[in-house]
Amino acid sequence: MASLAFYLSAAVLFSEDKDYQSLDTAPNSTFDDSFFGQDTLRLYTHYFETDGAWQTLIDNFTVEVVEEGSTVPGVVGMGSSSTVLDNLAASNQICGKMYSLYIGQGFDRAGGKVNGSNVFGGYDAGRFVDPVHKYAMSAAGTNQLSVRVKDIIVSETNNANSNVSLFDTVAFPSMSSRPDAFDAEITTDQYPLSLPYEITQNFISHLDAEEDNTWGDNSLKVKNVFNGSLTIVLEDGFQVTIPPEVLVNASNITPIQSRAKDSKEPFYLSTTFLTQVYLMADFEKQSFFLATAVQKNNMVMPTPFCPGSTPTAYQRPNQGAFVKQGLIGAIVGGILGGIGIGICVYCFVASCRRRVAERRIEKRAEEGRKAAKMAQFEVEEVMEFDPPPKSATPFFWKKR
Ligand SMILES: *[C@@H]1O[C@H](CO)[C@@H](O)[C@H](O)[C@H]1NC(C)=O
Ligand SMILES: *[C@@H]1O[C@H](CO)[C@@H](O)[C@H](O)[C@H]1NC(C)=O
Ligand SMILES: *[C@@H]1O[C@H](CO)[C@@H](O)[C@H](O)[C@H]1NC(C)=O
Ligand SMILES: *[C@@H]1O[C@H](CO)[C@@H](O)[C@H](O)[C@H]1NC(C)=O
Ligand SMILES: *[C@@H]1O[C@H](CO)[C@@H](O)[C@H](O)[C@H]1NC(C)=O
Ligand SMILES: *[C@@H]1O[C@H](CO)[C@@H](O)[C@H](O)[C@H]1NC(C)=O
């Protein structure tokens, strides 16, 4: 699907804008020499590795041209004030400020191989399974993507009766009463989860973990191998399980951060959580959806997603031929923010016309076409464009 290598076109159309003020107040950047201006932004969408790319243009897009400086682009994703979403919606290329993300695990800290996908105006229907869970966005000015966690359960892989709730006062008598459910912010700012102090202490005692900051993010380390998973239960019952290889990696590092007793920092369901979850945001109706992610899917199924609608996952055939035989061709990913955590994401701009009738017809045609493709391994003809040059400077993601 769309690998979206965001990169900038040649500067022939560029015109400087001396009065422009960025919305990003204090980015982690020191740009000694930069200026703003307008240029054409090209979004490239790859469906299959060997195919050419679809191109989506955003004219008169404001860019910051940096001649000297440094930055730590550790954030992935689009917020409600994203100028890319604004521009795509304003030019009717998507039907509203809708954005979906699977962050994947194809970056150093996660140590995995699977790349994520990034969809504007839609979602990747093959990247999650039903049911989807709906949440209201929090007020502007805070992290809009917050959920309430009511339980966290640790299970050992080879012992069915080993489930222990980190909220349980019987298992952890140091707690005088069961901790309250807590609000946690979904973020891509950091990899490890940040949980309340008591819960973190219970995790440390149950897994025999210790503080360790070898990797600079205060992730805890276990002293002995622990083969088990951790299940986060949200208030509405949605359960997200961090699998054994993520809970304790081969160097015994966990994705749980240590926490000071008096820390007032927010609790975070961070990138670790998003490696297991597909996120779909409807910034128009101020709601978002979470569903269990399908980690590896060679097939990309961009589906338009319009304000107020509820995403539904692609229904897999029970024994589709393609499951048995595997798919020919992999998906190409563009590397975004490669200097920082090096997350590779695929992006897709799902086009969605304003008129409902048109949309329905289109959607049916789209579904039919996808089904045929699934069944027959047909790769559709696409217009050929030159792929983005390998040396192209990646366009850094903006926090909002
Ligand atoms: C800059 O990075 C530091 C360390 O990663 C982080 O604590 C801080 O919040 C970041 N500042 C902004 C504005 O993103
Ligand atoms: C391009 O965008 C700038 C800043 O948003 C605006 O001032 C200008 O009028 C736009 N030009 C065109 C041709 O739309
Ligand atoms: C475990 O995670 C740490 C922190 O990201 C990483 O540096 C280390 O290489 C990982 N170990 C393995 C064996 O993947
Ligand atoms: C243990 O927890 C896991 C994850 O929540 C669950 O799938 C499993 O059924 C539980 N086992 C028992 C015996 O309760
Ligand atoms: C954990 O247990 C499972 C099931 O026995 C096994 O397949 C897996 O290799 C184990 N993982 C580790 C890290 O020992
Ligand atoms: C992930 O993306 C990178 C960069 O495009 C690519 O080299 C790599 O093969 C991809 N990995 C998978 C498993 O598709």
Side-chain angles (χ1 to χ4, degrees):
M1 169 98 48
S3 100
L4 184 197
F6 260 173
Y7 77 107
L8 305 180
S9 63
V12 281
L13 297 172
F14 182 80
S15 67
E16 187 173 353
D17 181 347
K18 290 200 158 67
D19 302 324
Y20 187 81
Q21 293 288 321
S22 173
L23 280 178
D24 289 325
T25 45
N28 252 343
S29 313
T30 46
F31 293 155
D32 304 325
D33 208 351
S34 80
F35 52 94
F36 290 95
Q38 275 77 42
D39 205 339
T40 299
L41 182 73
R42 293 164 194 268
L43 310 185
Y44 286 95
T45 302
H46 287 271
Y47 290 81
F48 290 99
E49 192 161 16
T50 47
D51 284 6
W54 292 93
Q55 173 179 244
T56 302
L57 300 182
I58 306 179
D59 290 328
N60 199 32
F61 187 80
T62 301
V63 295
E64 182 172 12
V65 179
V66 178
E67 292 180 321
E68 216 179 317
S70 65
T71 186
V72 185
V75 180
V76 171
M78 294 285 155
S80 55
S81 312
S82 155
T83 45
V84 176
L85 281 181
D86 270 348
N87 279 264
L88 287 168
S91 59
N92 284 357
Q93 301 196 69
I94 60 177
C95 64
K97 291 195 284 176
M98 318 295 283
Y99 173 73
S100 302
L101 173 70
Y102 174 58
I103 204 161
Q105 347 129 338
F107 49 97
D108 289 350
R109 177 61 182 90
K113 296 228 161 20
V114 177
N115 292 327
S117 78
N118 192 29
V119 183
F120 297 86
Y123 55 83
D124 182 354
R127 274 297 179 149
F128 62 98
V129 291
D130 286 331
V132 300
H133 301 263
K134 185 178 182 178
Y135 305 89
M137 284 187 184
S138 315
T142 60
N143 182 331
Q144 292 191 283
L145 308 179
S146 292
V147 290
R148 206 162 169 77
V149 177
K150 69 172 182 189
D151 205 356
I152 298 178
I153 297 161
V154 177
S155 317
E156 284 170 43
T157 310
N158 300 311
N159 181 353
N161 298 315
S162 65
N163 287 8
V164 169
S165 163
L166 298 182
F167 284 61
D168 184 3
T169 51
V170 176
F172 303 101
S174 63
M175 297 189 300
S176 52
S177 62
R178 187 181 169 89
D180 293 333
F182 63 91
D183 288 322
E185 300 180 6
I186 295 176
T187 183
T188 58
D189 283 12
Q190 62 179 54
Y191 183 77
L193 307 174
S194 186
L195 306 174
Y197 175 75
E198 276 178 324
I199 307 286
T200 308
Q201 291 303 308
N202 294 347
F203 179 84
I204 290 172
S205 78
H206 190 62
L207 273 79
D208 196 14
E210 60 189 356
E211 290 194 8
D212 180 275
N213 196 24
T214 314
W215 316 103
D217 61 8
N218 298 311
S219 294
L220 297 165
K221 182 176 189 169
V222 294
K223 292 179 200 153
N224 304 302
V225 174
F226 180 84
N227 192 348
S229 62
L230 179 141
T231 300
I232 297 166
V233 186
L234 303 189
E235 199 171 41
D236 65 345
F238 180 37
Q239 300 194 357
V240 176
T241 297
I242 310 294
E245 65 278 13
V246 179
L247 186 61
V248 176
N249 84 355
S251 314
N252 283 358
I253 306 290
T254 75
I256 314 289
Q257 209 169 39
S258 59
R259 188 174 180 97
K261 190 169 189 175
D262 54 2
S263 172
K264 297 276 187 292
E265 291 293 302
F267 308 123
Y268 290 122
L269 294 182
S270 42
T271 306
T272 305
F273 179 79
L274 291 174
T275 61
Q276 312 301 320
V277 169
Y278 194 66
L279 167 70
M280 295 156 272
D282 178 348
F283 291 113
E284 306 283 355
K285 299 286 183 195
Q286 295 287 297
S287 59
F288 66 101
F289 300 85
L290 301 176
T292 303
V294 170
Q295 308 236 337
K296 195 148 169 46
N297 189 14
N298 291 337
M299 192 72 177
V300 180
M301 297 171 214
T303 305
F305 174 32
C306 290
S309 60
T310 299
T312 50
Y314 169 74
Q315 298 303 317
R316 288 172 173 71
N318 282 340
Q319 343 183 321
F322 94 91
V323 177
K324 289 194 206 120
Q325 298 168 26
L327 270 177
I328 307 155
I331 297 151
V332 177
I335 299 176
L336 301 181
I339 294 172
I341 47 182
I343 289 182
C344 309
V345 285
Y346 304 116
C347 297
F348 174 78
V349 180
S351 68
C352 181
R353 304 262 159 81
R354 293 264 177 201
R355 281 189 292 132
V356 172
E358 237 176 32
R359 202 152 67 218
R360 288 216 189 98
I361 293 166
E362 227 174 46
K363 196 170 173 220
R364 240 175 272 135
E366 176 94 337
E367 274 162 11
R369 195 168 50 75
K370 297 259 167 52
K373 196 159 79 177
M374 298 289 294
Q376 299 162 21
F377 305 96
E378 275 174 11
V379 176
E380 66 200 319
E381 295 279 312
V382 294
M383 270 168 87
E384 293 286 334
F385 289 94
D386 290 336
K390 289 214 162 58
S391 61
T393 306
F395 175 87
F396 295 130
W397 292 75
K398 287 199 177 166
K399 192 166 187 174
R400 49 185 107 217

